[in-house]
PDB file of all heavy atoms in Angstrom:
ATOM      1  N   GLY A   1       0.805  -1.259  -0.050  1.00 80.00           N
ATOM      2  CA  GLY A   1       0.026   0.017   0.038  1.00 80.00           C
ATOM      3  C   GLY A   1       0.852   1.293   0.040  1.00 80.00           C
ATOM      4  O   GLY A   1       2.071   1.239  -0.042  1.00 80.00           O
ATOM      5  N   GLY A   2       0.097   2.373   0.029  1.00 91.00           N
ATOM      6  CA  GLY A   2       0.715   3.593  -0.001  1.00 91.00           C
ATOM      7  C   GLY A   2      -0.200   4.870  -0.112  1.00 91.00           C
ATOM      8  O   GLY A   2      -1.395   4.618   0.104  1.00 91.00           O
ATOM      9  N   GLU A   3       0.291   5.964  -0.439  1.00 95.00           N
ATOM     10  CA  GLU A   3      -0.450   7.200  -0.543  1.00 95.00           C
ATOM     11  C   GLU A   3       0.078   8.025  -1.646  1.00 95.00           C
ATOM     12  O   GLU A   3       1.378   8.048  -1.852  1.00 95.00           O
ATOM     13  CB  GLU A   3      -0.403   7.981   0.733  1.00 95.00           C
ATOM     14  CG  GLU A   3      -0.734   7.234   1.967  1.00 95.00           C
ATOM     15  CD  GLU A   3       0.028   7.804   3.257  1.00 95.00           C
ATOM     16  OE1 GLU A   3       0.214   9.047   3.310  1.00 95.00           O
ATOM     17  OE2 GLU A   3       0.440   7.037   4.169  1.00 95.00           O
ATOM     18  N   ALA A   4      -0.834   8.766  -2.370  1.00 95.00           N
ATOM     19  CA  ALA A   4      -0.315   9.453  -3.403  1.00 95.00           C
ATOM     20  C   ALA A   4      -1.059  10.892  -3.364  1.00 95.00           C
ATOM     21  O   ALA A   4      -2.289  10.937  -3.018  1.00 95.00           O
ATOM     22  CB  ALA A   4      -0.678   8.919  -4.796  1.00 95.00           C
ATOM     23  N   SER A   5      -0.276  12.027  -3.517  1.00 96.00           N
ATOM     24  CA  SER A   5      -0.854  13.345  -3.593  1.00 96.00           C
ATOM     25  C   SER A   5       0.082  14.079  -4.653  1.00 96.00           C
ATOM     26  O   SER A   5       1.038  13.487  -5.080  1.00 96.00           O
ATOM     27  CB  SER A   5      -0.805  14.039  -2.309  1.00 96.00           C
ATOM     28  OG  SER A   5       0.543  14.067  -1.723  1.00 96.00           O
ATOM     29  N   GLU A   6      -0.410  15.187  -5.048  1.00 97.00           N
ATOM     30  CA  GLU A   6       0.299  15.948  -6.103  1.00 97.00           C
ATOM     31  C   GLU A   6       1.732  16.125  -5.736  1.00 97.00           C
ATOM     32  O   GLU A   6       2.121  16.793  -4.702  1.00 97.00           O
ATOM     33  CB  GLU A   6      -0.376  17.289  -6.248  1.00 97.00           C
ATOM     34  CG  GLU A   6       0.258  18.130  -7.394  1.00 97.00           C
ATOM     35  CD  GLU A   6      -0.164  17.731  -8.807  1.00 97.00           C
ATOM     36  OE1 GLU A   6      -1.158  17.084  -8.925  1.00 97.00           O
ATOM     37  OE2 GLU A   6       0.607  18.042  -9.728  1.00 97.00           O
ATOM     38  N   GLY A   7       2.639  15.617  -6.591  1.00 98.00           N
ATOM     39  CA  GLY A   7       4.172  15.683  -6.280  1.00 98.00           C
ATOM     40  C   GLY A   7       4.674  14.860  -5.172  1.00 98.00           C
ATOM     41  O   GLY A   7       5.817  14.982  -4.818  1.00 98.00           O
ATOM     42  N   ARG A   8       3.852  13.950  -4.558  1.00 98.00           N
ATOM     43  CA  ARG A   8       4.365  13.063  -3.475  1.00 98.00           C
ATOM     44  C   ARG A   8       3.863  11.586  -3.580  1.00 98.00           C
ATOM     45  O   ARG A   8       2.735  11.403  -3.949  1.00 98.00           O
ATOM     46  CB  ARG A   8       3.922  13.659  -2.249  1.00 98.00           C
ATOM     47  CG  ARG A   8       4.366  12.814  -0.958  1.00 98.00           C
ATOM     48  CD  ARG A   8       4.132  13.752   0.331  1.00 98.00           C
ATOM     49  NE  ARG A   8       4.436  13.088   1.579  1.00 98.00           N
ATOM     50  CZ  ARG A   8       5.600  12.986   2.009  1.00 98.00           C
ATOM     51  NH1 ARG A   8       6.671  13.531   1.524  1.00 98.00           N
ATOM     52  NH2 ARG A   8       5.857  12.405   3.258  1.00 98.00           N
ATOM     53  N   MET A   9       4.570  10.637  -3.283  1.00 97.00           N
ATOM     54  CA  MET A   9       4.223   9.321  -3.204  1.00 97.00           C
ATOM     55  C   MET A   9       4.913   8.614  -2.116  1.00 97.00           C
ATOM     56  O   MET A   9       6.098   8.856  -1.809  1.00 97.00           O
ATOM     57  CB  MET A   9       4.670   8.624  -4.508  1.00 97.00           C
ATOM     58  CG  MET A   9       4.068   7.192  -4.789  1.00 97.00           C
ATOM     59  SD  MET A   9       2.425   7.288  -5.229  1.00 97.00           S
ATOM     60  CE  MET A   9       1.951   5.574  -5.233  1.00 97.00           C
ATOM     61  N   VAL A  10       4.073   7.839  -1.332  1.00 97.00           N
ATOM     62  CA  VAL A  10       4.590   7.081  -0.182  1.00 97.00           C
ATOM     63  C   VAL A  10       4.202   5.629  -0.438  1.00 97.00           C
ATOM     64  O   VAL A  10       3.106   5.380  -0.802  1.00 97.00           O
ATOM     65  CB  VAL A  10       3.886   7.617   1.005  1.00 97.00           C
ATOM     66  CG1 VAL A  10       4.301   6.726   2.273  1.00 97.00           C
ATOM     67  CG2 VAL A  10       4.133   9.026   1.358  1.00 97.00           C
ATOM     68  N   LEU A  11       5.264   4.771  -0.288  1.00 95.00           N
ATOM     69  CA  LEU A  11       5.035   3.336  -0.500  1.00 95.00           C
ATOM     70  C   LEU A  11       5.575   2.623   0.693  1.00 95.00           C
ATOM     71  O   LEU A  11       6.561   3.093   1.344  1.00 95.00           O
ATOM     72  CB  LEU A  11       5.809   2.814  -1.722  1.00 95.00           C
ATOM     73  CG  LEU A  11       5.509   3.424  -3.101  1.00 95.00           C
ATOM     74  CD1 LEU A  11       6.508   3.107  -4.217  1.00 95.00           C
ATOM     75  CD2 LEU A  11       4.137   3.042  -3.525  1.00 95.00           C
ATOM     76  N   HIS A  12       4.941   1.463   1.064  1.00 95.00           N
ATOM     77  CA  HIS A  12       5.302   0.617   2.081  1.00 95.00           C
ATOM     78  C   HIS A  12       5.669  -0.795   1.708  1.00 95.00           C
ATOM     79  O   HIS A  12       5.210  -1.307   0.620  1.00 95.00           O
ATOM     80  CB  HIS A  12       4.178   0.544   3.174  1.00 95.00           C
ATOM     81  CG  HIS A  12       3.633   1.821   3.592  1.00 95.00           C
ATOM     82  ND1 HIS A  12       4.288   2.663   4.462  1.00 95.00           N
ATOM     83  CD2 HIS A  12       2.555   2.522   3.246  1.00 95.00           C
ATOM     84  CE1 HIS A  12       3.506   3.704   4.606  1.00 95.00           C
ATOM     85  NE2 HIS A  12       2.469   3.555   3.912  1.00 95.00           N
ATOM     86  N   ALA A  13       6.702  -1.351   2.308  1.00 95.00           N
ATOM     87  CA  ALA A  13       7.193  -2.649   1.929  1.00 95.00           C
ATOM     88  C   ALA A  13       7.635  -3.439   3.160  1.00 95.00           C
ATOM     89  O   ALA A  13       7.966  -2.760   4.148  1.00 95.00           O
ATOM     90  CB  ALA A  13       8.162  -2.709   0.805  1.00 95.00           C
ATOM     91  N   LEU A  14       7.646  -4.770   3.073  1.00 94.00           N
ATOM     92  CA  LEU A  14       8.175  -5.555   4.081  1.00 94.00           C
ATOM     93  C   LEU A  14       9.324  -6.457   3.648  1.00 94.00           C
ATOM     94  O   LEU A  14       9.162  -7.359   2.888  1.00 94.00           O
ATOM     95  CB  LEU A  14       7.010  -6.511   4.598  1.00 94.00           C
ATOM     96  CG  LEU A  14       7.385  -7.352   5.912  1.00 94.00           C
ATOM     97  CD1 LEU A  14       7.624  -6.339   7.039  1.00 94.00           C
ATOM     98  CD2 LEU A  14       6.171  -8.285   6.194  1.00 94.00           C
ATOM     99  N   PRO A  15      10.644  -6.109   4.109  1.00 95.00           N
ATOM    100  CA  PRO A  15      11.720  -6.860   3.505  1.00 95.00           C
ATOM    101  C   PRO A  15      11.562  -8.259   4.253  1.00 95.00           C
ATOM    102  O   PRO A  15      11.382  -8.504   5.387  1.00 95.00           O
ATOM    103  CB  PRO A  15      12.871  -6.144   4.124  1.00 95.00           C
ATOM    104  CG  PRO A  15      12.413  -5.177   5.263  1.00 95.00           C
ATOM    105  CD  PRO A  15      10.955  -4.951   4.962  1.00 95.00           C
ATOM    106  N   GLY A  16      11.908  -9.194   3.292  1.00 92.00           N
ATOM    107  CA  GLY A  16      11.830 -10.638   3.866  1.00 92.00           C
ATOM    108  C   GLY A  16      13.156 -11.394   3.506  1.00 92.00           C
ATOM    109  O   GLY A  16      14.126 -10.843   2.968  1.00 92.00           O
ATOM    110  N   SER A  17      13.272 -12.663   3.901  1.00 93.00           N
ATOM    111  CA  SER A  17      14.357 -13.452   3.591  1.00 93.00           C
ATOM    112  C   SER A  17      14.642 -13.605   2.130  1.00 93.00           C
ATOM    113  O   SER A  17      15.860 -13.711   1.698  1.00 93.00           O
ATOM    114  CB  SER A  17      14.301 -14.860   4.242  1.00 93.00           C
ATOM    115  OG  SER A  17      13.172 -15.475   3.748  1.00 93.00           O
ATOM    116  N   GLN A  18      13.602 -13.452   1.213  1.00 93.00           N
ATOM    117  CA  GLN A  18      13.855 -13.514  -0.141  1.00 93.00           C
ATOM    118  C   GLN A  18      14.550 -12.299  -0.691  1.00 93.00           C
ATOM    119  O   GLN A  18      15.103 -12.402  -1.844  1.00 93.00           O
ATOM    120  CB  GLN A  18      12.540 -13.666  -0.858  1.00 93.00           C
ATOM    121  CG  GLN A  18      11.554 -12.387  -0.942  1.00 93.00           C
ATOM    122  CD  GLN A  18      10.765 -12.223   0.355  1.00 93.00           C
ATOM    123  OE1 GLN A  18      11.033 -12.766   1.355  1.00 93.00           O
ATOM    124  NE2 GLN A  18       9.614 -11.527   0.139  1.00 93.00           N
ATOM    125  N   HIS A  19      14.756 -11.260   0.051  1.00 93.00           N
ATOM    126  CA  HIS A  19      15.424 -10.040  -0.408  1.00 93.00           C
ATOM    127  C   HIS A  19      16.866 -10.052   0.166  1.00 93.00           C
ATOM    128  O   HIS A  19      17.625  -9.112  -0.156  1.00 93.00           O
ATOM    129  CB  HIS A  19      14.687  -8.838   0.136  1.00 93.00           C
ATOM    130  CG  HIS A  19      13.231  -8.659  -0.373  1.00 93.00           C
ATOM    131  ND1 HIS A  19      12.128  -8.690   0.555  1.00 93.00           N
ATOM    132  CD2 HIS A  19      12.765  -8.690  -1.615  1.00 93.00           C
ATOM    133  CE1 HIS A  19      11.108  -8.638  -0.254  1.00 93.00           C
ATOM    134  NE2 HIS A  19      11.379  -8.550  -1.429  1.00 93.00           N
ATOM    135  N   ARG A  20      17.275 -11.080   0.772  1.00 94.00           N
ATOM    136  CA  ARG A  20      18.726 -11.046   1.329  1.00 94.00           C
ATOM    137  C   ARG A  20      19.784 -11.215   0.261  1.00 94.00           C
ATOM    138  O   ARG A  20      19.471 -12.016  -0.810  1.00 94.00           O
ATOM    139  CB  ARG A  20      18.886 -12.296   2.320  1.00 94.00           C
ATOM    140  CG  ARG A  20      18.157 -11.987   3.703  1.00 94.00           C
ATOM    141  CD  ARG A  20      18.385 -13.080   4.606  1.00 94.00           C
ATOM    142  NE  ARG A  20      17.765 -12.762   5.823  1.00 94.00           N
ATOM    143  CZ  ARG A  20      17.777 -13.599   6.848  1.00 94.00           C
ATOM    144  NH1 ARG A  20      18.407 -14.721   6.843  1.00 94.00           N
ATOM    145  NH2 ARG A  20      17.202 -13.284   8.002  1.00 94.00           N
ATOM    146  N   ASN A  21      20.921 -10.734   0.512  1.00 94.00           N
ATOM    147  CA  ASN A  21      22.084 -11.015  -0.381  1.00 94.00           C
ATOM    148  C   ASN A  21      22.886 -12.048   0.260  1.00 94.00           C
ATOM    149  O   ASN A  21      22.526 -12.602   1.307  1.00 94.00           O
ATOM    150  CB  ASN A  21      22.827  -9.669  -0.669  1.00 94.00           C
ATOM    151  CG  ASN A  21      23.442  -9.161   0.716  1.00 94.00           C
ATOM    152  OD1 ASN A  21      23.739  -9.867   1.606  1.00 94.00           O
ATOM    153  ND2 ASN A  21      23.742  -7.944   0.572  1.00 94.00           N
ATOM    154  N   PRO A  22      23.949 -12.465  -0.293  1.00 94.00           N
ATOM    155  CA  PRO A  22      24.800 -13.654   0.227  1.00 94.00           C
ATOM    156  C   PRO A  22      25.392 -13.411   1.586  1.00 94.00           C
ATOM    157  O   PRO A  22      25.749 -14.314   2.271  1.00 94.00           O
ATOM    158  CB  PRO A  22      25.877 -13.815  -0.890  1.00 94.00           C
ATOM    159  CG  PRO A  22      25.386 -13.396  -2.112  1.00 94.00           C
ATOM    160  CD  PRO A  22      24.418 -12.136  -1.754  1.00 94.00           C
ATOM    161  N   ILE A  23      25.486 -12.149   2.141  1.00 93.00           N
ATOM    162  CA  ILE A  23      26.077 -12.051   3.352  1.00 93.00           C
ATOM    163  C   ILE A  23      24.973 -11.788   4.409  1.00 93.00           C
ATOM    164  O   ILE A  23      25.249 -11.546   5.527  1.00 93.00           O
ATOM    165  CB  ILE A  23      26.988 -10.675   3.410  1.00 93.00           C
ATOM    166  CG1 ILE A  23      26.248  -9.400   3.059  1.00 93.00           C
ATOM    167  CG2 ILE A  23      28.183 -10.938   2.499  1.00 93.00           C
ATOM    168  CD1 ILE A  23      27.127  -8.100   3.212  1.00 93.00           C
ATOM    169  N   GLY A  24      23.720 -12.108   3.989  1.00 92.00           N
ATOM    170  CA  GLY A  24      22.579 -12.039   4.960  1.00 92.00           C
ATOM    171  C   GLY A  24      21.766 -10.870   5.222  1.00 92.00           C
ATOM    172  O   GLY A  24      20.771 -10.946   5.921  1.00 92.00           O
ATOM    173  N   ILE A  25      22.251  -9.663   4.805  1.00 95.00           N
ATOM    174  CA  ILE A  25      21.423  -8.518   4.845  1.00 95.00           C
ATOM    175  C   ILE A  25      20.504  -8.414   3.550  1.00 95.00           C
ATOM    176  O   ILE A  25      20.694  -9.026   2.594  1.00 95.00           O
ATOM    177  CB  ILE A  25      22.249  -7.274   5.050  1.00 95.00           C
ATOM    178  CG1 ILE A  25      23.256  -6.921   3.996  1.00 95.00           C
ATOM    179  CG2 ILE A  25      23.028  -7.369   6.528  1.00 95.00           C
ATOM    180  CD1 ILE A  25      23.951  -5.636   4.198  1.00 95.00           C
ATOM    181  N   VAL A  26      19.498  -7.509   3.732  1.00 96.00           N
ATOM    182  CA  VAL A  26      18.734  -7.225   2.545  1.00 96.00           C
ATOM    183  C   VAL A  26      19.503  -6.507   1.446  1.00 96.00           C
ATOM    184  O   VAL A  26      20.268  -5.593   1.699  1.00 96.00           O
ATOM    185  CB  VAL A  26      17.472  -6.449   2.947  1.00 96.00           C
ATOM    186  CG1 VAL A  26      16.690  -5.932   1.737  1.00 96.00           C
ATOM    187  CG2 VAL A  26      16.571  -7.181   3.860  1.00 96.00           C
ATOM    188  N   HIS A  27      19.433  -7.011   0.215  1.00 96.00           N
ATOM    189  CA  HIS A  27      20.152  -6.585  -0.838  1.00 96.00           C
ATOM    190  C   HIS A  27      19.877  -5.021  -1.090  1.00 96.00           C
ATOM    191  O   HIS A  27      18.648  -4.568  -0.917  1.00 96.00           O
ATOM    192  CB  HIS A  27      19.736  -7.301  -2.184  1.00 96.00           C
ATOM    193  CG  HIS A  27      20.648  -7.091  -3.371  1.00 96.00           C
ATOM    194  ND1 HIS A  27      20.546  -5.852  -4.094  1.00 96.00           N
ATOM    195  CD2 HIS A  27      21.659  -7.821  -3.875  1.00 96.00           C
ATOM    196  CE1 HIS A  27      21.425  -5.999  -5.097  1.00 96.00           C
ATOM    197  NE2 HIS A  27      22.221  -7.147  -4.963  1.00 96.00           N
ATOM    198  N   GLY A  28      20.907  -4.331  -1.484  1.00 95.00           N
ATOM    199  CA  GLY A  28      20.805  -2.830  -1.687  1.00 95.00           C
ATOM    200  C   GLY A  28      19.757  -2.589  -2.835  1.00 95.00           C
ATOM    201  O   GLY A  28      19.100  -1.447  -2.759  1.00 95.00           O
ATOM    202  N   GLY A  29      19.553  -3.455  -3.668  1.00 95.00           N
ATOM    203  CA  GLY A  29      18.611  -3.247  -4.728  1.00 95.00           C
ATOM    204  C   GLY A  29      17.163  -3.141  -4.243  1.00 95.00           C
ATOM    205  O   GLY A  29      16.296  -2.512  -4.896  1.00 95.00           O
ATOM    206  N   PHE A  30      16.943  -3.664  -3.035  1.00 95.00           N
ATOM    207  CA  PHE A  30      15.602  -3.523  -2.494  1.00 95.00           C
ATOM    208  C   PHE A  30      15.340  -2.153  -2.071  1.00 95.00           C
ATOM    209  O   PHE A  30      14.320  -1.489  -2.498  1.00 95.00           O
ATOM    210  CB  PHE A  30      15.599  -4.434  -1.205  1.00 95.00           C
ATOM    211  CG  PHE A  30      14.173  -4.302  -0.440  1.00 95.00           C
ATOM    212  CD1 PHE A  30      13.164  -5.081  -0.797  1.00 95.00           C
ATOM    213  CD2 PHE A  30      14.128  -3.472   0.737  1.00 95.00           C
ATOM    214  CE1 PHE A  30      11.910  -5.059  -0.076  1.00 95.00           C
ATOM    215  CE2 PHE A  30      12.887  -3.464   1.316  1.00 95.00           C
ATOM    216  CZ  PHE A  30      11.827  -4.229   1.020  1.00 95.00           C
TER     217      PHE A  30
END
């Protein structure tokens, strides 16, 4: 989900294990 107004966007996300890189933290691409 999120919110949109003129010139502004807000998005929410939940980082999970599927977003991890080989060193165990969430990949910077996320």
Side-chain angles (χ1 to χ4, degrees):
E3 306 154 35
S5 57
E6 183 76 25
R8 183 171 176 81
M9 190 74 185
V10 178
L11 300 169
H12 307 287
L14 187 62
S17 60
Q18 73 274 22
H19 300 120
R20 287 184 180 178
N21 63 23
I23 62 172
I25 61 173
V26 170
H27 192 281
F30 178 83

